Amino acid sequence: MAHKTILEGTNPRLRSTSRPVRKINQHILDVLDDMGQTMYEERGVGLAAPQIGVFRRIVVLDVGDGIMELINPVIVSQEGQQREKEGCLSFGDERGYVLRPEKIVVRALDRNGQEKEYVGTGLLARVLAHEIDHLDGVLFVDKVVEWVEDEPADEAE
Ligand code: ZN
C-alpha cells in the first residue's frame, strides 16, 4: 500500500469523467488499498479514485462502520433531501452546506467482483452522493448553497 497525493480542487483533471472498471485485476486491488490508506491517513470519510489521479469508477468510504469499497457504483434510487455541512479532501478546510438526498440506494461491485446493494441514509447517503459525483467530474463546490466561515474542519470527503 502507498499513500497517494490528493489532487487539489483547482486541478482541471478533477473535472474528468472516470471510466468504468472492466476487470478487477491486481492493479485495481492496489488502487483500492492505496485509496483506503490515503483516506485514513488524511482523516477523510470518503475518497474517489480521480482524487488520486486514477480516472476509474472506484470509491472508498468509512462513515464509522468500517471501510466500504465500491467499484462501478450506480445510483439506483434516491429520495428526500438533507442540507448538511460538507467538505472535500481536495479542498482543504473549505466547508459549505450542500443539498443531498436523505436516502440513496447504490449498486456496485466489491473487490471480489460480487454485486452488492447499499442503502444509505444521513451521512452515508451524503458521502455516497459526494463520491459518485467525483466520478463524473462534479465537485461539492458546484453545489454549495451556503459557505461556512471560520469553523474548524471536522470531516472531509
Ligand atoms: Zn470530495
Side-chain angles (χ1 to χ4, degrees), residues 15-88:
R15 295 300 185 173
S16 307
T17 298
S18 293
R19 291 182 294 135
V21 173
R22 298 205 187 285
K23 186 163 183 266
I24 302 173
N25 54 22
Q26 189 58 47
H27 170 67
I28 297 299
L29 297 176
D30 290 344
V31 168
L32 282 168
D33 290 341
D34 291 346
M35 288 175 68
Q37 181 179 349
T38 304
M39 175 182 72
Y40 285 119
E41 289 180 0
E42 299 287 341
R43 301 192 309 116
V45 294
L47 184 70
Q51 289 181 280
I52 60 164
V54 175
F55 297 91
R56 295 303 188 95
R57 303 188 78 84
I58 305 171
V59 307
V60 299
L61 55 104
D62 185 345
V63 295
D65 301 319
I67 194 162
M68 293 169 56
E69 300 175 323
L70 289 79
I71 298 169
N72 298 343
V74 173
I75 296 174
V76 178
S77 67
Q78 47 189 317
E79 61 184 75
Q81 191 180 71
Q82 57 173 314
R83 180 185 187 278
E84 290 294 339
K85 230 185 310 174
E86 215 166 282
C88 178

Side-chain angles (χ1 to χ4, degrees), residues 120-140:
T121 58
L123 176 61
L124 179 55
R126 200 172 86 222
V127 178
L128 283 167
H130 177 116
E131 303 309 336
I132 292 171
D133 268 356
H134 271 298
L135 306 181
D136 294 311
V138 176
L139 303 173
F140 92 106

